[in-house]
């Protein structure tokens, strides 16, 4: 299977509309797949925090399996950014939804040879021109762990701890050199792959290069 942090820049996306959702999706993931994955994620949310990978006041993430005839099952991370009031809806309609900004952030990272989750689709629901909810679908980073969950292992393994610290330093250095600002850079937004590579999350707050 293609790595979950493969090139997100070259591959084309397609536009569709289904069930009131405006969808931009990658080839191989149909609009019907996107709608079904969103329904499955909302079921996970209804089951509660234990059924989700992330549970926060502004978003939820869960792991959902995509079963496509003729292809092996694939795990998908679905992030739901629900309605948070008219002010947020107006902001998202003006500057792009959180899901759309995250997909753009992934492209920026890849353009600087950094790892990012592979975007499968972005879906938005709008009412009266305003974004009322958005969804980001990416390939699930199987085998990866958030940095906080890895800390007990790293405390017992100084060499691995130093290796990951070095790669984190390289990541921050590359962001700085590219004049990119991640306004929520914290340990819980850092995933560590089985190869000890660092993958940055919450890319909707990744600011593009600034021009003076």
């Amino acid at each position: 299977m293609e790595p979950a942090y493969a090139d997100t820049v070259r591959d084309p996306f397609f536009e569709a509309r289904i069930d009131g959702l405006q969808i931009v999706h990658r080839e191989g993931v149909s609009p019907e797949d996107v709608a079904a994955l969103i329904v499955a994620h909302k079921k996970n949310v209804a089951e509660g925090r234990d059924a989700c990978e992330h549970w926060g006041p502004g978003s939820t993430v869960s792991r959902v399996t995509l079963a496509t005839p003729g292809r092996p099952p694939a795990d998908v991370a679905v992030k739901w950014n629900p309605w948070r009031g008219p002010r947020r809806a107006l902001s998202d309609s003006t500057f792009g939804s959180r899901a759309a900004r995250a997909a753009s952030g992934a492209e920026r990272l890849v353009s600087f040879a950094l790892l990012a989750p592979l975007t499968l689709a972005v879906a938005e629901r709008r009412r009266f021109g305003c974004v009322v909810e958005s969804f980001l679908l990416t390939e699930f980073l199987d085998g990866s762990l958030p940095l906080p969950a890895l800390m007990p292992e790293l405390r017992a393994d100084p060499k691995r701890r130093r290796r990951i610290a070095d790669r984190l330093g390289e990541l921050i250095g590359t962001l700085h050199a590219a004049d990119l600002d991640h306004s929520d850079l914290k340990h819980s937004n850092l995933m560590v792959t089985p190869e000890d590579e660092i993958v940055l999350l919450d890319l909707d707050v990744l600011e593009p290069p600034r021009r003076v």
Side-chain angles (χ1 to χ4, degrees), residues 3-160:
Y5 36 80
D7 193 333
T8 62
V9 176
R10 296 178 301 170
D11 298 337
F13 284 83
F14 304 90
E15 297 183 5
R17 187 178 180 88
I18 185 172
D19 295 341
L21 292 168
Q22 297 178 17
I23 297 172
V24 179
H25 62 98
R26 188 180 294 275
E27 185 176 10
V29 181
S30 71
E32 292 79 11
D33 290 334
V34 174
L37 289 167
I38 289 172
V39 169
H41 171 68
K42 288 190 171 183
K43 288 181 179 178
N44 288 341
V45 172
E47 290 180 11
R49 186 186 300 267
D50 291 343
C52 296
E53 302 291 327
H54 164 76
W55 182 286
S59 64
T60 53
V61 179
S62 76
R63 181 176 188 167
V64 182
T65 300
L66 172 62
T68 304
R71 296 188 179 186
D75 286 334
V76 176
V78 181
K79 183 174 184 177
W80 178 20
N81 305 295
W83 167 262
R84 295 186 66 191
R87 183 175 179 180
R88 171 69 71 176
L90 182 60
S91 174
D92 284 357
S93 302
T94 303
F95 301 106
S97 69
R98 290 186 64 189
R101 296 199 310 270
S104 296
E107 289 188 357
R108 292 190 191 104
L109 286 187
V110 171
S111 71
F112 290 103
L114 296 173
L115 299 182
L118 178 66
T119 301
L120 300 177
V122 170
E124 299 173 353
R125 192 182 308 278
R126 293 174 178 259
R127 293 198 182 107
F128 306 109
C130 291
V131 176
V132 297
E133 60 178 350
S134 67
F135 303 86
L136 175 68
L137 283 67
T138 64
E139 282 196 359
F140 193 84
L141 298 176
D142 197 30
S144 299
L145 290 173
L147 184 56
L150 200 60
M151 290 306 296
E153 294 182 30
L154 296 182
R155 291 191 184 99
D157 190 339
K159 289 185 177 179
R160 189 181 183 198

